[in-house]
Amino acid sequence: MSIGHTLLGLLESGPRHGYDLKRAFDEKFGHDRPLHYGQVYSTMSRLLKHGLVEVDGVEAGGGPERKRYAITDAGITDVEQWLATPEKPEPYLQSTLYTKVVLALLTQRDAADILDTQRSEHLRSMRILTDRKRGGDFADQLICDHALFHLEADLRWLELAAARLDKLKDAVIA
């Protein structure tokens, strides 16, 4: 995820302080990985340097001055271009799990155990996500579905790999 583009998009609804941007980001996108304040301010500095945001006001408070940021026309154009650009699909052609299975076979360890352990971990994650989905709002349900579909695809691969372990062993040891 592009933190800069996400913060720019959040600024389109109106000027905000860094604190407000962090809160909005965490509420909408950061359930599992909240944004650190340092990341917000370093990102806003970079966006300011590139002319994508401007300081809309500075307020003195009990602590350091609080800058209020606003998106510029260039920032709006940048967000529009980012939104219109499709994300590159991520084919997992060299996954860590595949590497572990092949190394287990090469070192005469039980690759089936690795697959079984991974299957259990995937199922555990799926149970957690399903519980989260039941209690979540619509946006949380949608992001949980995304993760669940990926885990389901991984499970299909785990089953396929388990069924083909003998052939894979012959191929990698040959």
Side-chain angles (χ1 to χ4, degrees):
M1 172 189 316
S2 169
I3 303 298
H5 287 110
T6 305
L7 294 177
L8 283 172
L10 290 171
L11 281 172
E12 282 200 58
S13 64
R16 298 183 192 212
H17 295 98
Y19 174 83
D20 297 325
L21 284 167
K22 181 211 177 333
R23 228 180 49 232
F25 180 96
D26 289 351
E27 182 182 303
K28 300 290 184 198
F29 311 107
H31 292 287
D32 295 320
R33 283 192 217 156
L35 206 54
H36 296 286
Y37 284 106
Q39 192 171 9
V40 172
Y41 293 111
S42 64
T43 302
M44 295 313 295
S45 263
R46 191 175 65 253
L47 295 173
L48 188 62
K49 179 180 165 188
H50 289 102
L52 302 176
V53 297
E54 60 191 8
V55 176
D56 186 57
V58 178
E59 299 170 12
E65 291 182 334
R66 292 182 44 176
K67 293 179 185 174
R68 189 175 54 244
Y69 298 96
I71 192 168
T72 63
D73 289 340
I76 291 170
T77 300
D78 198 57
V79 171
E80 286 172 351
Q81 290 172 348
W82 179 68
L83 290 173
T85 304
E87 291 297 308
K88 182 180 178 198
E90 301 261 350
Y92 300 103
L93 295 178
Q94 194 59 12
S95 77
T96 304
L97 182 55
Y98 172 77
T99 301
K100 286 182 174 186
V101 170
V102 170
L103 282 175
L105 293 171
L106 288 171
T107 59
Q108 319 236 336
R109 290 181 172 91
D110 192 348
D113 280 350
I114 291 171
L115 293 170
D116 287 341
T117 300
Q118 191 64 50
R119 184 181 305 106
S120 295
E121 185 62 21
H122 270 62
L123 291 171
R124 186 186 71 76
S125 292
M126 291 175 83
R127 283 190 297 276
I128 291 168
L129 284 166
T130 300
D131 287 344
R132 177 177 162 182
K133 181 180 164 181
R134 280 190 198 110
D137 61 15
F138 182 73
D140 207 34
Q141 291 171 11
L142 195 57
I143 195 68
C144 286
D145 281 337
H146 184 263
L148 284 164
F149 291 151
H150 280 273
L151 289 169
E152 286 173 9
D154 287 349
L155 279 175
R156 287 192 349 245
W157 182 85
L158 288 165
E159 294 299 326
L160 181 67
R164 294 181 174 174
L165 269 180
D166 289 337
K167 286 184 176 182
L168 181 58
K169 184 176 183 178
D170 291 342
V172 298
I173 294 180

